[in-house]
Amino acid sequence: MPHPADHDPEQSAPPGPDRPRRDADGENPAATRRYLDLIRTTHEEWDRLERAGDSSVQLSGSALAAVKESVRADARHGAHVHMPPTPAGPFTVSELTLRTLVRREIDAIPGARALRTTFEHEEDGAAERRTRGLPTRARCRVSALLGTPDLPGLAERIREAVHRAAETELGLTGLTVDVHIEDLHEH
Amino acid sequence: MSTDPAPTDPATLRTVPAAADPVGALAPPAPRVDVADLVGAVTAVPGVSGLEPGIATALRTLDARLRRSDASSARYGLVVDRDSGEVTVEIGVEGPLPVRRIVEDVQRTVQRAVSGAAAEDTDPRGGTAVGADPDRPAPDVPRVLVRVQSLSTP
């Protein structure tokens, strides 16, 4: 199997004034130098502005906190999932939103409790990073109340509720809903 | 509870003079509405619990702030791309209305606000003149991408 560097145009061609050298570990000393220069220049610019009393280089505490929190929020939200557009334009929902919607529907059914739901999606070649295509299948893992007389009936009610919510809430038709009763709970 | 989208009377929305925005001045026709007004319009839509930014729009907002070149086009959770004319809105939703309905209300609210402001830009005497002159093209309706970040359950 060829080494990845073999396919790297920057590596396969001889280094020159316009072509940075990159070693076998993927390091790029020229890029590192440029980055260090950029940081150095930034520091110098900030120092100069601060000395001049220009407050534009300072971020408020809440602005900084918002950035930090947005990183955590991104982790909570998960990837975004394409939905059928509304008449007014496109929209996506986060994986968190999808899971919350399914959980809400399942937990509203007497005797059922949502555990974990995963989705399969259409392939979407145009999707950006961390964006998924339309959901095609939901796999709902649930717990049933101990003593529920008709477990297949319970599964069917769950399937119908999730299917209906996907259509009403999101405009998503044709979603296949698998229900796995993988636990029993007493109350 | 009223389910009508928030009122977005163009007359109440501030616009950004083109000359004040060198980036926008070079770009094709793009929304000129002040994002601060859009934030108010979006968060007033029934079912919207608030703007809920992801890391991408948060960093983009920060970038716009630091550059001070296009500060009127980005807020946490709401970004207007002056080049493409696309508006990205990131929201949390709550309440009894279907998610899709809330999303559409947000999209139409933003489109009305931006189109109204664009009309006001076109005709400094007021935005209501759009359509009165058949030779004048109607302002572009922007593409509004809504990203629903979370759903609050009662």
Side-chain angles (χ1 to χ4, degrees), chain A residues 77 80 84 86 90 94 169, chain B residues 52 55 99-100 107 111 148-149:
Chain A
H77 298 152
H80 263 256
T86 74
S94 68
E169 295 280 345
Chain B
E52 189 170 347
I55 183 66
V99 173
R100 188 177 169 80
Q107 289 168 328
Q111 286 169 345
V148 179
Q149 302 280 32

Side-chain angles (χ1 to χ4, degrees), chain A residues 29-107:
Chain A
T32 300
R33 270 198 307 277
R34 282 197 301 275
Y35 184 54
L36 293 178
D37 287 342
L38 171 66
I39 298 300
R40 190 177 300 114
T41 305
T42 304
H43 286 174
E44 289 169 356
E45 182 186 21
W46 283 11
D47 289 345
R48 193 170 60 251
L49 290 169
E50 282 177 336
R51 277 197 299 272
D54 188 330
S55 61
S56 67
V57 294
Q58 304 296 342
L59 290 172
S60 70
S62 61
L64 278 175
V67 173
K68 290 176 187 168
E69 281 305 312
S70 72
V71 175
R72 296 190 183 98
D74 238 38
R76 280 197 309 276
H77 298 152
H80 263 256
V81 182
H82 283 289
M83 290 292 134
T86 74
F91 82 107
T92 64
V93 301
S94 68
E95 291 178 317
L96 172 67
T97 301
L98 267 182
R99 288 197 303 270
T100 304
L101 181 63
V102 170
R103 175 178 296 279
R104 186 180 76 182
E105 296 301 319
I106 294 175
D107 287 350

Side-chain angles (χ1 to χ4, degrees), chain A residues 2-30:
Chain A
H3 190 280
D6 293 342
H7 297 292
D8 184 343
E10 288 188 353
Q11 177 68 18
S12 56
D18 301 319
R19 194 175 297 282
R21 178 183 294 280
R22 182 178 292 180
D23 67 20
D25 291 326
E27 292 181 6
N28 186 332

Side-chain angles (χ1 to χ4, degrees), chain B residues 19-142:
Chain B
D21 179 4
V23 175
L26 297 173
R32 313 301 309 162
V33 68
D34 192 310
V35 174
D37 293 321
L38 278 183
V39 169
V42 167
T43 53
V45 171
V48 173
S49 54
L51 288 170
E52 189 170 347
I55 183 66
T57 63
L59 290 179
R60 203 163 159 191
T61 301
L62 199 58
D63 179 69
R65 289 268 143 190
L66 289 174
R67 288 174 190 272
R68 296 197 294 177
S69 59
D70 205 5
S72 69
S73 69
R75 290 286 188 280
Y76 288 130
L78 202 160
V79 173
V80 178
D81 188 322
R82 299 273 189 223
D83 294 327
S84 68
E86 179 171 294
V87 181
T88 301
V89 186
E90 297 182 321
I91 56 171
V93 301
E94 64 183 0
L97 289 174
V99 173
R100 188 177 169 80
R101 166 73 188 276
I102 298 167
V103 167
E104 186 176 347
D105 285 350
V106 168
Q107 289 168 328
R108 293 200 186 284
T109 296
V110 172
Q111 286 169 345
R112 271 197 301 273
V114 173
S115 297
E120 203 173 59
D121 268 3
T122 306
D123 181 357
R125 294 165 299 178
T128 54
V130 167
D133 180 356
D135 295 325
R136 178 184 300 149
D140 290 337
V141 175

